[in-house]
């Protein structure tokens, strides 16, 4: 059976800016359904990820740390 030597590279490819923008837009939209407003920090971090300045894993880590340090508001 033929195994494509490039298959793993195609699957491992990072999403492009359009795909990342859509993913962030969707995630923020889902938060708004619950009347949650994204912080400016989240938006700026998302932009850094979309621009390729940081990875999605780094963005996730930064956002989690940011919200852990913030007092919860009701």
């Amino acid at each position: 059976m033929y195994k494509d030597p490039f298959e793993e590279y195609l699957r491992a490819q990072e999403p492009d800016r359009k795909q990342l923008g859509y993913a962030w837009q969707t995630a923020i939209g889902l938060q708004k359904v619950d009347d949650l407003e994204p912080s400016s920090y989240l938006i700026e971090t998302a932009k850094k990820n979309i621009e390729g300045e940081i990875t999605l894993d780094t963005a996730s880590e930064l956002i989690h740390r940011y919200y852990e340090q913030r007092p919860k508001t009701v």
Side-chain angles (χ1 to χ4, degrees):
M1 177 175 219
Y2 175 75
K3 180 171 167 49
D4 184 348
F6 301 105
E7 183 178 348
E8 75 177 77
Y9 297 110
L10 297 175
R11 283 186 301 193
Q13 181 181 8
E14 291 291 320
D16 64 16
R17 288 173 53 178
K18 182 178 180 180
Q19 291 170 319
L20 285 169
Y22 181 75
W24 280 106
Q25 186 180 48
T26 300
I28 290 169
L30 289 171
Q31 298 246 332
K32 287 185 177 184
V33 168
D34 291 330
D35 290 326
L36 299 172
E37 196 64 35
S39 67
S40 57
Y41 183 81
L42 183 139
I43 292 170
E44 291 305 314
T45 304
K47 287 180 181 179
K48 287 179 184 178
N49 173 243
I50 293 166
E51 293 293 326
E53 295 175 26
I54 60 174
T55 65
L56 187 56
D57 287 339
T58 300
S60 177
E61 186 179 322
L62 290 170
I63 291 167
H64 283 291
R65 273 198 245 144
Y66 175 83
Y67 284 111
E68 282 177 353
Q69 296 172 1
R70 296 299 217 229
K72 293 184 180 184
T73 57
V74 180

